[in-house]
Amino acid sequence: MDKQWKLYEDLDSILYSEAQLKEAVAQLGERITRDYQGKKPVMVCILKGASVFFCDLIRQIDLPLEIDFMVVSSYGNGTSSTGEVQLVKDLGRSVNGRDVIIVEDIVDSGSTLSYLKKVLDSRGVSSLRICSLLDKPARRRVPLSVDYSCFEIPDAFVVGYGLDYAERYRNLPDIGVLAPRIYQES
Ligand code: IMP
Ligand code: MG
């Protein structure tokens, strides 16, 4: 952590620093560039959690890619999923015949991504892969494999670099474990 921000007082520890995230995202961008040679993938950002990761990742990929956005809701303001996923905003264009990469912040129970996979699979995509910055396999309730991920994390509630608790902490440049007193208070 380089900054002396007040927001950091709500964290128990830093899991990944800004520099570690930058390095991991650059490596992932190179991997996707290699894997999709000769293709023009559509990268789909799942708002809002993946927004920061997405903006950094697409700038590390040397391909004629396109971007689009989806909004889903599942969590409310708690720290565990209700399992019910709602599509709040759909893609702007057809993905029929396209190579699609879904970009998510974290896979927890797996319900959000298995829902999105089903939705996009039904639209005649040529291929579909899942890219998630973080993977929390210990919490999986729906079987789901992640094609690209930067870090596997333990079962802890993390915030920063786009990830929120009750819409806060998305602007932290690092990823850290939120102190349980913060969500136990409210
Ligand atoms: P899933 O449907 O249970 O896999 O949950 C996925 C969504 O839950 C992610 O897109 C996040 O928005 C949220 N989520 C899961 N774990 C965390 C966490 O540790 N911190 C912040 N958000 C989380
Ligand atoms: Mg969220």
Side-chain angles (χ1 to χ4, degrees):
M1 159 193 4
D2 301 327
K3 298 183 173 66
Q4 301 294 319
W5 287 5
K6 238 184 136 32
L7 274 177
Y8 283 109
E9 290 168 14
D10 295 351
L11 301 186
D12 266 354
S13 61
I14 301 285
L15 266 189
Y16 303 107
S17 68
E18 196 174 357
Q20 285 172 305
L21 290 164
K22 196 173 175 200
E23 171 66 26
V25 172
Q27 281 178 14
L28 181 58
E30 280 174 26
R31 216 180 127 196
I32 293 175
T33 302
R34 277 197 305 274
D35 290 357
Y36 283 82
Q37 277 306 301
K39 298 192 169 137
K40 299 175 183 133
V42 180
M43 312 252 327
V44 176
C45 173
I46 309 306
L47 293 172
K48 301 173 218 171
S51 57
V52 178
F53 170 48
F54 186 79
C55 291
D56 284 347
L57 179 63
I58 59 171
R59 289 178 296 168
Q60 298 295 331
I61 298 176
D62 181 17
L63 291 170
L65 58 81
E66 293 173 27
I67 64 170
D68 210 334
F69 300 88
M70 276 176 129
V71 182
V72 290
S73 73
S74 66
Y75 254 45
N77 280 349
T79 57
S80 69
S81 173
T82 57
E84 272 169 57
V85 185
Q86 249 188 319
L87 185 55
V88 178
K89 185 221 168 281
D90 204 342
L91 297 174
R93 303 183 58 176
S94 163
V95 284
N96 185 31
R98 303 298 305 267
D99 296 299
V100 176
I101 305 174
I102 306 177
V103 182
E104 184 44 313
D105 53 356
I106 184 167
V107 188
D108 188 42
S109 71
S111 42
T112 306
L113 275 170
S114 73
Y115 166 81
L116 283 169
K117 232 181 139 191
K118 222 179 295 161
V119 169
L120 293 175
D121 260 334
S122 72
R123 296 185 181 175
V125 294
S126 167
S127 71
L128 184 61
R129 281 190 181 160
I130 290 172
C131 170
S132 178
L133 174 69
L134 306 177
D135 190 0
K136 222 195 263 184
R139 301 246 314 168
R140 203 73 97 248
R141 271 181 288 153
V142 183
L144 182 99
S145 64
V146 179
D147 302 291
Y148 299 105
S149 134
C150 291
F151 303 107
E152 257 191 25
I153 65 163
D155 183 7
F157 196 80
V158 298
V159 294
Y161 198 64
L163 290 116
D164 73 307
Y165 169 65
E167 296 300 330
R168 282 155 50 200
Y169 309 103
R170 294 194 198 276
N171 52 320
L172 283 178
D174 318 84
I175 291 181
V177 177
L178 188 64
R181 64 184 155 78
I182 303 297
Y183 47 84
Q184 283 155 4
E185 266 166 18
S186 45

